[in-house]
Amino acid sequence: MNDKELDDLLSDDFLASLEPEDSSVKDPLDVPDYLPNDENHTGYKAWKAIKYIKSIKEEMIKDYREVADSQTPKSLYQIYKSEVGREIERAPQNVFSGKASFCEPLSDFLDKKNKELLTLFDEEQALLKVERKQTGSRGKRKDQVVYEYQQMREELNALKHQKAKDMLDLAISRLPLDLQQKLKVK
């Protein structure tokens, strides 16, 4: 195949035909029915902010490698209404406690996401709390380690002697019969 044929195969039309159509690539946002599909609407901004903050908190939970105690901040695994308010630059009371039709469902959505974060946090903590069995010599007392070392040393010496005897027996078996008899008698 020469360069011209290759250039013809890699033409713009051919490459464009490999790309999927724009309509099939775009996934419509899963905007709930109680929110308008307007990006400037406060409820819509709050909904997106909750999803964004949740993704950040999930990463924080996965990166947190300490066993939780009374000093562990709840902000690690809980989205506060004030955080959402800061993210969208609105007062959280207006977003979650107002008289608008989206306030109560949005508050329920926040509660649902907080439960998911708490579940993830509990799962990660359970993984951290699993007792790891100590292996090797670190989990044993000194006298156990010394005893095992002495036993292994004796086994190694026995194997060395056995191998030497086997090797000599093999060497003798390959010798002529008259020499074999002389060596075995002594």
Side-chain angles (χ1 to χ4, degrees), residues 2-62:
N2 62 27
D3 290 336
K4 185 173 181 349
E5 291 174 351
L6 187 60
D7 289 340
D8 291 340
L9 283 176
L10 296 175
S11 68
D12 290 335
D13 295 331
F14 174 72
L15 293 175
S17 69
L18 294 176
E19 295 177 7
E21 295 179 19
D22 288 339
S23 62
S24 65
V25 171
K26 289 184 180 177
D27 244 358
L29 282 175
D30 52 346
V31 179
D33 294 335
Y34 58 86
L35 292 176
N37 203 1
D38 178 18
E39 291 185 11
N40 294 323
H41 190 271
T42 302
Y44 184 84
K45 286 180 182 179
W47 176 75
K48 281 185 72 171
I50 292 170
K51 291 179 74 170
Y52 172 71
I53 294 170
K54 180 183 181 259
S55 66
I56 291 173
K57 299 250 182 192
E58 285 174 342
E59 291 300 317
M60 288 171 52
I61 290 170
K62 290 177 182 172

Side-chain angles (χ1 to χ4, degrees), residues 157-173:
N157 287 334
L159 284 173
K160 284 181 183 177
H161 293 302
Q162 182 67 31
K163 291 224 181 215
K165 183 183 178 305
D166 289 344
M167 194 168 63
L168 285 174
D169 287 342
L170 180 64
I172 290 172
S173 69

